[in-house]
Amino acid sequence: PDANIKELNPTRASLQETANQQQEAFSKSNEDVLKSRLEQWRQAWSNQDLDAYFAIYSDHFNPGNSFSSIAAWKAYRSKGIVSKPFIQVDLRGVRIASIAQDQVRVEFEQTYKAGSYHERSHKLLIMEKDESGWKIIREMTAAPGS
């Protein structure tokens, strides 16, 4: 039995090393593309450009339990975006980690200003790569300290 355990340990270590190498290769090859996509999303939101904003979201985006469908979520977001006199969105501390071959976790601190309203929050996006590029499939926001 001990011989079998010893044989498995190098295999487990090799698998971890391979995973680390894949993560490093992923980071180098996709991080700039993902940050550019994130900047497109930030600019579209700040510019109140609904077409460009929604283009960053996947057709199978999960809007969460508060909405009955993506269409309901889009209607809610549209109203919230176009009703503001201006929107300013700034991002800091972007961290990207691979979840699966074509999925990443993107975390950052977000500052949102619209009219006299101001909010700082922690944002988590799950993005997935499809034939047209990286798209948001899930979005979660938490106030700092929550």
Side-chain angles (χ1 to χ4, degrees):
D2 288 334
N4 290 339
I5 292 171
K6 289 177 184 175
E7 288 177 19
L8 290 176
N9 286 337
T11 303
R12 190 174 291 135
S14 297
L15 290 173
Q16 184 60 47
E17 184 177 332
T18 300
N20 291 343
Q21 289 169 347
Q22 287 173 340
Q23 176 65 36
E24 187 175 318
F26 172 86
S27 296
K28 289 176 183 172
S29 65
N30 287 303
E31 190 168 340
D32 288 342
V33 172
L34 282 156
K35 284 184 175 179
S36 175
R37 192 68 163 157
L38 192 60
E39 177 60 14
Q40 290 170 358
W41 173 78
R42 186 200 68 76
Q43 284 181 0
W45 191 5
S46 293
N47 294 335
Q48 297 168 284
D49 181 342
L50 294 177
D51 290 338
Y53 177 77
F54 289 130
I56 309 292
Y57 288 85
S58 171
D59 290 340
H60 62 272
F61 171 71
N62 178 347
N65 296 331
S66 299
F67 300 95
S68 59
S69 65
I70 294 173
W73 173 80
K74 282 185 176 183
Y76 173 81
R77 293 298 297 143
S78 295
K79 183 179 177 185
I81 291 171
V82 299
S83 68
K84 306 294 187 263
F86 75 89
I87 293 176
Q88 180 183 342
V89 179
D90 294 306
L91 313 177
R92 289 188 354 200
V94 175
R95 295 175 309 283
I96 301 170
S98 177
I99 298 172
Q101 183 175 352
D102 291 329
Q103 284 190 351
V104 294
R105 174 185 180 105
V106 182
E107 291 186 75
F108 50 90
E109 297 301 319
Q110 173 182 290
T111 303
Y112 171 86
K113 295 178 186 176
S116 61
Y117 182 78
H118 178 267
E119 175 184 78
R120 183 179 301 160
S121 59
H122 181 84
K123 180 89 57 158
L124 167 65
L125 303 177
I126 304 298
M127 299 183 78
E128 185 173 78
K129 190 174 185 180
D130 67 17
E131 63 280 348
S132 64
W134 290 97
K135 303 276 184 123
I136 299 169
I137 60 170
R138 188 80 168 109
E139 177 177 0
M140 292 156 271
T141 303
S146 61

